[in-house]
Amino acid sequence: MSNSTGDSSSGVAWLCVRAGGHELDRIRLSREPVIIGRSKSATLQLDDERISRRHAEISRDPLGRITLRDLGSRNGTLIDGQTVTEAELSSGDSFAIGAFELCVITEGAQPFVKAKPTTVADAPNTRYSTFGAKAGRIDTTHLNTLTDFAHELLTLPTRRARLERLCHLMVDGAFHGRRAVALRMARGDSELTPQALCTPARNERLKEDYDSMPRLSRGLLSAVRRQPAPTFASNVTGGKGGGVELSIAPEQAGEQAAAAVPLRVDDESVDVLYVSFPPQFGTVEWLTLVALAAQQYQHAESTIAVQTQATRHAAIERELSQAREIQQRLVPRYPSTPGMEIAIGFEPCKWVGGDYVDVVSNHDGRTVLVIADVTGKGLPAALVASELHAMVRAFLRAGADLTTMMNGLNEHLCEYLDDRIFVTAAALAIDPLTGEVECVNAGHPPVLCIDPTGKVRPLQQAENLPLGVCQEPMRSQHDALVIGELLAMYTDGLSELKRDDGQMLCVEGLSDELAGLYRMGPTRTLGLLSGAVGDLLDAIQGDRAAEDDRTFLLGRRVAAVDSSDPEATGNSAAAAGS
């Protein structure tokens, strides 16, 4: 089933919509695809005649990877002016649809902030100068030190350790800083009480009485918070800082200069590196040097974040691969039971799926066929599907009949499932010798019986509620399957498959398609027919991303058998998420 009960995305990602230089909207990206288009049914509706009704789709997988797909639009989806049909996007990537620019932003991803040269007046007689990353006269010693510093940062285990190493670099001999500390300023803090993010560093060669925390200039911090760009100031009038004054009086902390450089900026706070210097270093050239060190720190943080994410993704991929392998082992590869020919198709839309299918030769000589669909997708639904697999086999081995088994499953799921989760299921018990069929359908799409001429006869439907909804007794239906008649069981990943025009196939459309395939080759093996069904579904799906698991079971009586064999054997299949 296509409804989802949670979001297991890796961090927060947003899709920002811009036009005319202004941000118009921002949508959080989750596991559910975002359909962009002019239609009122689109997740993100954009009003522009150049935009198709269903123009493009952007989706995010369990590993946080973001994929953009054009849905066959009339005027195309553009990246850097080039039309694309599909592309993987990273934070900061943008694409154009009609007059709109759409950009992906992930939480914590902040570019190095640059600004044009300006002088900002904070209060009478106090000014703060800001600049972009225009290099000053810095010698090779500083550049070599920064290179070594960048490599060293990648070896440090925590962000706090990297911030402290940045601060210590500022007070080392080559940089001449007196004191340095990393601070966080809340944007809404009117009192401007910054929080220290690490232990302050002090130049031990300087003989000064006050402690290692630098005297912080409120005006300088306010200026950086207001305009996040590298900023410096000096309390020496007419000094080398071009006459820029610091709001800390010389009699409080001596003559000095200070630099404040943003390290991270978001809507809630600004992290800065604050360094105090002797007054002769209050120059644009020295601010450039501090900004370069901050930039090396930012690059290291970005690199470590990517490495950490890659490691986490690799671990998740290994676990998902193992889960998929376990699930595939439960799917009957060559299902066989006396007197029955059976073929199964199973394709989860993610690593694992929430569909379950099982074939068991029961102790009474009947063949039991079960198919089920758990709400949701992925691992949560897979766990429920695996539980169904174990319980179905346990009930049958204990000698339960079909109705008792379905009532037992329902009672258990009503007791233990979350209220938002339920299971649709259909179970059949077939006597291959006589063709007698017992069917219990719990809110599942109807099982279809198709004769060689293509005539379709649905079995029980709309008689019972799905499993896990309420504890009402299950009602069964009795019917018969003649030799040569095709039995088709399926999940709604087939009946809710959409054609090119956006219309669902529905049960009626699926019935017609299956009947047509069987009518064209009623003597084909079910293995061949199963392959033809898979090809049909692929053709209808096209290049659109799968929205649900696809599971089906085809069965056919082929010959009379001795139904007195008490040995129960079976093959089964469990999968997660629909």
Side-chain angles (χ1 to χ4, degrees):
M1 297 171 200
S2 57
N3 58 306
S4 176
T5 60
D7 180 8
S8 57
S9 58
S10 304
V12 179
W14 301 88
L15 180 64
C16 298
V17 184
R18 300 169 180 161
H22 301 286
E23 182 173 322
L24 305 179
D25 198 0
R26 180 175 290 204
I27 293 179
R28 182 170 177 171
L29 297 177
S30 65
R31 297 276 295 281
E32 295 300 324
V34 173
I35 304 298
I36 306 168
R38 197 161 38 85
S39 170
K40 292 183 180 180
S41 64
T43 315
L44 175 59
Q45 184 182 8
L46 300 178
D47 188 12
D48 187 330
E49 291 183 355
R50 292 169 291 178
I51 297 176
S52 300
R53 291 177 57 80
R54 289 170 53 88
H55 195 107
E57 173 188 270
I58 188 164
S59 60
R60 196 177 192 210
D61 68 15
L63 301 182
R65 293 174 295 202
I66 299 170
T67 303
L68 169 68
R69 295 183 182 86
D70 186 88
L71 300 178
S73 64
R74 184 175 67 254
N75 293 312
T77 302
L78 307 180
I79 295 181
D80 294 330
Q82 302 296 317
T83 302
V84 299
T85 56
E86 182 171 330
E88 187 169 327
L89 303 179
S90 301
S91 180
D93 289 346
S94 62
F95 58 97
I97 293 179
F100 298 90
E101 179 188 15
L102 298 97
C103 179
V104 171
I105 298 176
T106 57
E107 187 177 68
Q110 295 293 336
F112 182 69
V113 182
K114 300 181 180 180
K116 296 181 179 180
T118 60
T119 300
V120 181
D122 178 62
N125 302 320
T126 305
R127 294 179 297 156
Y128 306 93
S129 293
T130 64
F131 81 116
K134 183 177 180 180
R137 297 184 302 275
I138 301 171
D139 63 35
T140 56
T141 301
H142 297 112
L143 298 179
N144 291 336
T145 300
L146 288 174
T147 300
D148 294 340
F149 168 68
H151 291 304
E152 183 183 356
L153 285 177
L154 297 177
T155 68
L156 299 178
T158 65
R159 181 171 181 262
R160 183 185 179 93
R162 293 186 288 273
L163 284 171
E164 290 182 349
R165 182 65 189 92
L166 173 61
C167 292
H168 281 286
L169 177 70
M170 294 295 98
V171 299
D172 285 347
F175 288 81
H176 301 284
R178 284 176 169 171
R179 285 163 178 75
V181 67
L183 304 169
R184 174 164 294 169
M185 299 182 292
R187 288 190 176 274
D189 180 13
S190 59
E191 297 297 323
L192 193 60
T193 52
Q195 169 194 356
L197 298 176
C198 65
T199 302
R202 173 183 175 180
N203 190 329
E204 298 297 336
R205 294 182 301 277
L206 298 178
K207 306 299 183 182
E208 297 173 333
D209 295 332
Y210 43 91
D211 59 27
S212 58
M213 175 65 80
R215 301 292 180 89
L216 302 176
S217 166
R218 179 180 296 272
L220 177 57
L221 292 176
S222 295
V224 175
R225 185 172 66 172
R226 198 166 49 244
Q227 180 182 345
T231 307
F232 75 99
S234 171
N235 63 5
V236 181
T237 303
K240 291 187 177 182
V244 178
E245 294 180 351
L246 187 69
S247 58
I248 298 176
E251 56 269 22
Q252 290 181 301
E255 293 183 348
Q256 63 172 278
V261 178
L263 299 175
R264 187 193 59 85
V265 180
D266 62 26
D267 293 339
E268 296 182 354
S269 62
V270 179
D271 292 355
V272 299
L273 171 65
Y274 189 102
V275 189
S276 62
F277 292 100
Q280 64 270 31
F281 294 101
T283 64
V284 170
E285 180 177 358
W286 224 250
L287 182 57
T288 300
L289 191 62
V290 177
L292 286 174
Q295 193 170 28
Q296 294 286 15
Y297 165 81
Q298 290 174 318
H299 289 167
E301 288 298 310
S302 297
T303 300
I304 291 169
V306 170
Q307 292 173 343
T308 301
Q309 188 81 330
T311 301
R312 183 160 52 244
H313 284 180
I316 294 173
E317 294 244 14
R318 285 194 300 271
E319 292 180 0
L320 289 175
S321 179
Q322 292 169 357
R324 184 181 183 89
E325 182 179 349
I326 291 171
Q327 190 173 67
Q328 292 291 348
R329 287 178 183 174
L330 298 175
V331 176
R333 294 186 178 181
Y334 307 104
S336 63
T337 186
M340 293 288 297
E341 183 184 5
I342 298 172
I344 288 175
F346 170 66
E347 187 175 340
C349 69
K350 300 185 183 296
W351 281 90
V352 288
D355 290 353
Y356 160 70
V357 59
D358 207 351
V359 181
V360 182
S361 293
N362 204 18
H363 63 87
D364 61 1
R366 296 191 299 175
T367 297
V368 176
L369 310 177
V370 184
I371 193 165
D373 187 356
V374 184
T375 54
K377 299 183 182 69
L379 288 174
L383 292 173
V384 177
S386 297
E387 186 177 12
L388 286 172
H389 164 258
M391 292 187 65
V392 163
R393 299 181 71 81
F395 272 113
L396 293 176
R397 285 170 178 164
D401 60 34
L402 203 64
T403 305
T404 301
M405 179 190 77
M406 292 293 278
N407 281 324
L409 292 174
N410 185 42
E411 180 179 350
H412 176 81
L413 295 177
C414 283
E415 183 174 357
Y416 291 104
L417 278 189
D418 186 285
D419 291 340
R420 297 169 296 176
I421 302 175
F422 59 87
V423 180
T424 69
L428 273 71
I430 305 174
D431 186 338
L433 184 63
T434 65
E436 292 181 1
V437 175
E438 181 183 6
C439 174
V440 179
N441 188 318
H444 201 77
V447 178
L448 305 176
C449 296
I450 306 172
D451 70 16
T453 67
K455 184 179 179 180
V456 180
R457 174 170 53 90
L459 296 184
Q460 184 189 49
Q461 55 184 319
E463 286 287 331
N464 305 300
L465 293 173
L467 303 177
V469 175
C470 66
Q471 296 190 35
E472 291 187 356
M474 295 284 170
R475 294 180 293 275
S476 65
Q477 174 195 12
H478 291 268
D479 208 298
L481 186 71
V482 301
I483 291 178
E485 198 170 24
L486 178 69
L487 190 72
M489 306 172 73
Y490 52 93
T491 59
D492 63 9
L494 278 69
S495 57
E496 293 182 0
L497 197 62
K498 294 179 181 178
R499 300 183 186 273
D500 289 339
D501 59 4
Q503 297 298 313
M504 282 188 183
L505 196 57
C506 297
V507 173
E508 294 77 8
L510 179 63
S511 300
D512 292 343
E513 297 286 359
L514 294 177
L517 287 177
Y518 194 51
R519 185 172 56 247
M520 289 189 296
T523 60
R524 282 187 291 183
T525 66
L526 291 194
L528 291 176
L529 182 60
S530 174
V533 173
D535 291 342
L536 169 69
L537 299 176
D538 288 341
I540 296 173
Q541 180 75 45
D543 58 0
R544 298 185 298 276
E547 297 180 1
D548 205 349
D549 304 330
R550 293 185 345 202
T551 303
F552 63 87
L553 182 152
L554 304 177
R556 180 168 58 189
R557 289 179 62 215
V558 292
V561 297
D562 181 3
S563 61
S564 63
D565 186 358
E567 181 179 357
T569 60
N571 297 282
S572 63
S578 10

